[in-house]
Amino acid sequence: MEEKILAPEAGEKEVISKNFIEMEIEKDLAEGVYDHVQTRFPPEPNGYLHIGHAKSILLNYGLAQKYNGKFNLRFDDTNPTKEKTEFVESIIADVKWLGAEFEDRLFFASNYFEQMYECAVFLIKKGKAFVCDLSAEEIREYRGDFNTPGKESPYRNRSIEENLELFAQMREGKFKDGEKVLRAKIDMASPNINMRDPVIYRVARMSHHNTGDAWCIYPMYDFAHPIEDAIEHVTHSICTLEFEDHRPLYDWVVRECEFENPPRQIEFAKLYLTNVVTGKRYIKKLVEDGIVDGWDDPRLVSIAALRRRGYTPESIRMFVDLVGVSKANSSVDYAMLEYCIREDLKLKKARMMAILDPVKLVIDNYPEGEVEELEVPNNLENEALGSRKVPFSRELYIEREDFMENPPKKYFRLFPGNEVRLFGAYFVTCTGFEKDEEGKVTVIHCTYDPETKSGSGFTGRKVKGTIHWVEAGSAKTVECRLYENIVDEEKGKLNEDGSLNLNPNSLTVLPNCLVEPALAEAKAYDSFQFMRNGYFCADCKDSQPGKPVFNRIVSLKSSFKLPK
Ligand code: ATP
Ligand code: MG
């Protein structure tokens, strides 16, 4: 689907690749079909946006940018039953956060109801639409199926005058819900079932979040959507593959309503991710059952959840770019999204010290009562992030897994007799340890060598392991939350009864982590690398001033795994 074109001015290896939508747009511009590019993102305000929507948003926005065009945010709010203002607000916030700039072009399809009504009247006057009294069930029966042509409605040949009169009465509320519909008069024998005189207006007494009770008739999606696009002078109406069979109807509507320079529809494949739950029905159940903490639970992939987890707009843009645009449905590995956030944060974030599972380390030959301020670099790969001071003293905490009484081969961390580097501080040699009655290590003892101070230029000897630590007296206790995928595709996403096969370990709460003092100041959405433990972000819901809760965004790739 991708065409690779050699950039003439660039070296042989460089290629500019265009996706098939870009190729279509360039063809249209070259042929003068359009003299500008206008795209839109048309969400239905019936839920929170997810990573799939992010792809659609960034695709539409990106195309507008690339071709000096404009991008609109338009709510496709023509079906009042499931729509809520809460969703309108969350969608606006999410689109803005992703950086898709719609400026003052925020539109609501419901503001076009009058124009849609006029389009319907126009079609009736052309003899292209008729009021039908068949029930929903009868309409279905008459429609036929893939193998059987449809049967024409007995109301199909009503006069234009009668149709105009009846349609006006539909609007005035003369009929009960479902009693009459307006249908396009196209072709009951069409091989495309969508073209068999589709319903374009129905009577439905529903209060609308925007228009209230002004209307008791509502347009159907396939009629409303092309009109919305045409009103906004959209050129390329980009949607997902399930609308491919609806394209002839889209074209019919804009043609018969005689819009000038009508928009065209182009379809692409939806984005699916492995090991995540995207279906609204499933998420709703997870929320209702209290398994997740709302639509923005960090284990979900709604945009709000990704933001709360600590994903950045940049990482999502990188992900969407890497995935590309395709005509074939496929699932993308969740690990790719993780790769993108690691890449984005790698050079941007300070690498701090936090101990998730603390055990005490006592440096027996370090002066009692003394506290040193050590200068440590914030990011060894990015000097621009500068350095900070961290306290150091005789008593520290280290990760429990950084000590072993009887280590396996290639374990380079602390064990009796072994020397390691304490990051940014000194070399220490393990001299012993204490255990409680259950055999759990409670204190590790060591001695330090003052000569080996970090930054002193010491070259006397090398050690294989570097471990991180926090100073006992100044460390702050915080809660950290570790996540695993909520479902595991390899183990089967669903149980036999159709319910989700949930991973019981999707959330681990560690209430007693110890962090260096600076981390206690973290505010909602601040993120850091916790050395060797991954990237963490201060939770926006549960953090308190001076007492943040940290969500692990993603782990670092680990070079060594303890044998189980
Ligand atoms: P869902 O049922 O998952 O919420 P939807 O299609 O009902 O999706 P809409 O609000 O109708 O949600 O969609 C808004 C836009 O987002 C549409 O243009 C739709 O094609 C696009 N979209 C929805 N899901 C995806 C996806 N997984 N990948 C790419 N685009 C998507
Ligand atoms: Mg929808």
Side-chain angles (χ1 to χ4, degrees):
M1 277 302 152
E2 288 212 337
E3 188 187 51
K4 305 240 178 203
I5 301 164
L6 277 175
E9 73 278 16
E12 291 248 324
K13 278 188 209 135
E14 250 190 87
V15 289
I16 301 170
S17 72
K18 285 186 188 138
N19 65 47
F20 71 96
I21 300 179
E22 292 167 338
M23 283 156 59
E24 287 296 314
I25 292 178
E26 288 183 18
K27 190 162 153 270
D28 287 342
L29 292 173
E31 290 172 359
V33 179
Y34 302 110
D35 61 2
H36 68 287
V37 170
Q38 172 72 60
T39 61
R40 85 288 174 263
F41 174 65
E44 214 186 322
N46 63 359
Y48 287 85
L49 298 183
H50 54 63
I51 184 77
H53 295 115
K55 170 162 177 176
S56 177
I57 293 165
L58 295 170
L59 172 63
N60 278 290
Y61 175 66
L63 291 169
Q65 272 205 313
K66 180 161 184 176
Y67 299 104
N68 279 319
K70 294 206 161 94
F71 163 79
N72 297 353
L73 172 59
R74 180 213 313 145
F75 285 97
D76 210 330
D77 57 348
T78 54
N79 178 12
T81 47
K82 296 173 288 176
E83 296 164 2
K84 278 206 279 181
T85 319
E86 175 197 348
F87 297 135
V88 170
E89 282 160 11
S90 79
I91 290 171
I92 293 175
D94 289 346
V95 173
K96 284 190 175 164
W97 180 75
L98 281 172
E101 193 48 72
F102 51 88
E103 295 165 345
D104 56 353
R105 293 180 303 281
L106 167 63
F107 301 117
F108 290 84
S110 54
N111 287 340
Y112 310 144
F113 279 160
E114 192 62 47
Q115 281 144 290
M116 292 175 192
Y117 179 82
E118 281 161 20
C119 285
V121 170
F122 186 73
L123 290 180
I124 295 173
K125 286 183 178 161
K126 284 175 74 175
K128 298 280 183 179
F130 64 98
V131 173
C132 184
D133 301 4
L134 293 181
S135 67
E137 201 174 312
E138 287 166 326
I139 290 178
R140 210 173 308 122
E141 279 166 24
Y142 276 63
R143 190 179 293 137
D145 55 33
F146 194 69
N147 303 308
T148 339
K151 237 173 29 188
E152 291 187 355
S153 160
Y155 305 97
R156 198 175 200 260
N157 295 314
R158 273 179 164 148
S159 70
I160 290 174
E161 289 65 36
E162 191 185 359
N163 280 319
L164 285 173
E165 175 66 26
L166 289 171
F167 189 50
Q169 290 177 354
M170 278 170 66
R171 179 181 186 167
E172 283 157 23
K174 295 266 164 70
F175 305 112
K176 291 198 289 287
D177 287 11
E179 199 180 329
K180 284 191 170 35
V181 292
L182 184 72
R183 298 175 66 177
K185 196 191 278 188
I186 311 180
D187 178 7
M188 288 308 288
S190 170
N192 184 335
I193 293 171
N194 295 306
M195 300 297 272
R196 294 185 187 171
D197 293 2
V199 173
I200 58 177
Y201 259 96
R202 66 201 161 122
V203 179
R205 281 170 184 75
M206 303 184 282
S207 267
H208 189 278
H209 77 101
N210 180 27
T211 55
D213 296 321
W215 293 87
C216 65
I217 54 171
Y218 289 97
M220 303 302 285
Y221 178 88
D222 279 343
F223 177 65
H225 201 85
I227 296 176
E228 295 158 26
D229 284 339
I231 289 172
E232 291 175 17
H233 304 293
V234 165
T235 53
H236 298 87
S237 176
I238 291 153
C239 66
T240 40
L241 281 182
E242 71 274 23
F243 291 102
E244 201 167 13
D245 290 345
H246 298 240
R247 192 185 336 131
L249 179 53
Y250 185 102
D251 291 341
W252 185 92
V253 171
V254 292
R255 188 175 64 244
E256 294 301 340
C257 292
E258 298 179 25
F259 283 104
E260 252 175 66
N261 222 231
R264 63 174 287 211
Q265 177 179 303
I266 302 177
E267 309 86 17
F268 72 100
K270 277 195 172 183
L271 167 64
Y272 295 101
L273 267 187
T274 60
N275 296 327
V276 300
V277 181
T278 45
K280 275 174 202 162
R281 186 164 60 95
Y282 290 120
I283 295 177
K284 196 157 166 271
K285 180 121 186 16
L286 291 173
V287 174
E288 281 166 3
D289 294 352
I291 290 162
V292 298
D293 155 31
W295 285 85
D296 60 354
D297 184 285
R299 287 165 291 177
L300 300 174
V301 286
S302 65
I303 297 181
L306 290 167
R307 178 167 62 230
R308 182 171 172 199
R309 177 89 174 248
Y311 275 83
T312 57
E314 291 82 356
S315 65
I316 295 175
R317 285 203 287 267
M318 187 193 303
F319 175 69
V320 164
D321 283 347
L322 275 177
V323 171
V325 188
S326 138
K327 269 266 184 199
N329 281 320
S330 67
S331 271
V332 177
D333 195 339
Y334 185 79
M336 191 152 141
L337 187 59
E338 295 190 318
Y339 165 82
C340 294
I341 187 66
R342 275 194 206 101
E343 281 298 301
D344 184 45
L345 299 181
K346 197 164 69 181
L347 300 180
K348 285 186 190 165
K349 297 298 169 180
R351 299 177 182 179
M352 314 287 281
M353 294 196 279
I355 308 294
L356 302 187
D357 184 11
V359 64
K360 191 169 257 184
L361 178 73
V362 178
I363 308 170
D364 291 305
N365 63 338
Y366 193 90
E368 226 160 310
E370 190 173 312
V371 179
E372 250 184 285
E373 292 275 316
L374 298 175
E375 180 106 15
V376 298
N378 282 329
N379 187 324
L380 285 168
E381 290 175 65
N382 180 9
E383 275 182 27
L385 291 186
S387 60
R388 69 185 185 284
K389 294 247 165 61
V390 281
F392 181 88
S393 78
R394 188 171 190 270
E395 296 202 352
L396 312 173
Y397 283 96
I398 62 168
E399 295 288 354
R400 184 167 288 281
E401 61 167 36
D402 284 343
F403 171 79
M404 282 188 100
E405 187 181 347
N406 299 302
K409 270 189 189 156
K410 294 198 176 166
Y411 184 87
F412 300 120
R413 295 174 259 171
L414 272 182
F415 55 87
N418 194 41
E419 187 172 47
V420 300
R421 179 201 308 274
L422 293 177
F423 178 81
Y426 301 93
F427 289 8
V428 292
T429 304
C430 178
T431 53
F433 58 93
E434 295 168 34
K435 278 182 178 177
D436 64 13
E437 286 127 41
E438 277 122 49
K440 194 172 173 192
V441 175
T442 50
V443 183
I444 299 157
H445 290 273
C446 67
T447 54
Y448 87 120
D449 177 356
E451 300 280 297
T452 60
K453 186 170 179 174
S454 193
S456 68
F458 175 78
T459 52
R461 60 185 184 278
K462 287 200 166 125
V463 287
K464 282 206 164 128
T466 299
I467 65 175
H468 64 283
W469 49 273
V470 295
E471 194 269 324
S474 56
K476 305 284 184 209
T477 303
V478 301
E479 177 177 314
C480 290
R481 297 170 182 168
L482 310 185
Y483 302 102
E484 285 178 20
N485 288 333
I486 206 159
V487 287
D488 183 342
E489 222 114 300
E490 273 172 29
K491 293 188 186 136
K493 212 164 174 170
L494 298 180
N495 295 315
E496 271 170 24
D497 65 357
S499 61
L500 286 170
N501 182 15
L502 296 169
N503 171 4
N505 304 318
S506 62
L507 169 66
T508 304
V509 177
L510 303 172
N512 297 310
C513 303
L514 291 170
V515 298
E516 56 175 284
L519 282 171
E521 306 310 315
K523 288 178 198 62
Y525 301 112
D526 284 350
S527 59
F528 308 88
Q529 186 187 117
F530 286 180
M531 283 181 68
R532 302 168 64 221
N533 281 319
Y535 292 97
F536 286 74
C537 178
D539 191 71
C540 58
K541 273 190 176 168
D542 300 328
S543 295
Q544 313 255 330
K547 199 143 177 65
V549 169
F550 288 104
N551 299 327
R552 178 151 73 183
I553 311 168
V554 66
S555 60
L556 305 171
K557 249 176 256 150
S558 170
S559 56
F560 178 83
K561 276 210 174 82
L562 277 174
K564 290 242 160 93

